[in-house]
Amino acid sequence: IGINDVLYIDQPLGAASSEEFIDNLQILNDALTTTSPDASLYYIAPWPFLNFPDEAYETRDIFANAMKDWCDLDEHRYFIDPSETILSVLSEVDTSVYMWNDYHPNAPEGVNLYSYAVLQQASYQ
């Protein structure tokens, strides 16, 4: 559940709509809360990606906003969107420093950047 849902909305890997995306998240959420009913769950918006058509960015934002709204319905769900931090760093450097391709971070630099961005946003929760 994530970037494939955004990039492949017309294929079996993806979610055809933000509603289907949330339905998939709910299945995951139900499985996790069945195992750990008192757990707090952090949901991370689909990662940002580079050099895609405008429609892909719009879909990513629609899905991320739907995730945020869905998380807001339950006090044990938290929404994190690290995109602003990631994109601000990527705008200042050659993206190959952090990215393996236009949507996968490389190791270790890209993974470290993504992890830092998530932790930075989580600290605001």
Side-chain angles (χ1 to χ4, degrees):
I1 302 172
I3 199 66
N4 287 336
D5 289 285
V6 174
L7 295 177
Y8 304 109
I9 61 173
D10 58 345
Q11 297 178 20
L13 284 176
S17 67
S18 59
E19 292 82 9
E20 187 176 327
F21 181 65
I22 297 305
D23 289 345
N24 292 339
L25 287 173
Q26 189 64 54
I27 292 167
L28 174 64
N29 190 88
D30 291 348
L32 294 170
T33 56
T34 296
T35 304
S36 300
D38 297 326
S40 292
L41 302 173
Y42 290 79
Y43 290 89
I44 302 170
W47 297 123
F49 38 85
L50 311 171
N51 304 315
F52 277 81
D54 289 343
E55 298 82 33
Y57 298 106
E58 292 167 9
T59 300
R60 183 249 174 252
D61 290 344
I62 289 168
F63 282 31
N65 290 333
M67 180 188 278
K68 181 186 182 322
D69 292 344
W70 175 75
C71 284
D72 288 346
L73 297 174
D74 187 312
E75 65 183 16
H76 297 290
R77 289 193 297 243
Y78 298 91
F79 172 78
I80 298 172
D81 189 350
S83 297
E84 185 176 331
T85 300
I86 293 167
L87 292 173
S88 71
V89 171
L90 293 178
S91 72
E92 300 292 323
V93 298
D94 176 355
T95 58
S96 68
V97 171
Y98 294 101
M99 301 298 289
W100 179 65
N101 57 22
D102 288 338
Y103 47 93
H104 288 109
N106 63 21
E109 291 85 359
V111 172
N112 288 342
L113 169 61
Y114 279 48
S115 299
Y116 167 77
V118 167
L119 292 173
Q120 181 184 43
Q121 293 302 311
S123 69
Y124 297 127
Q125 300 295 322

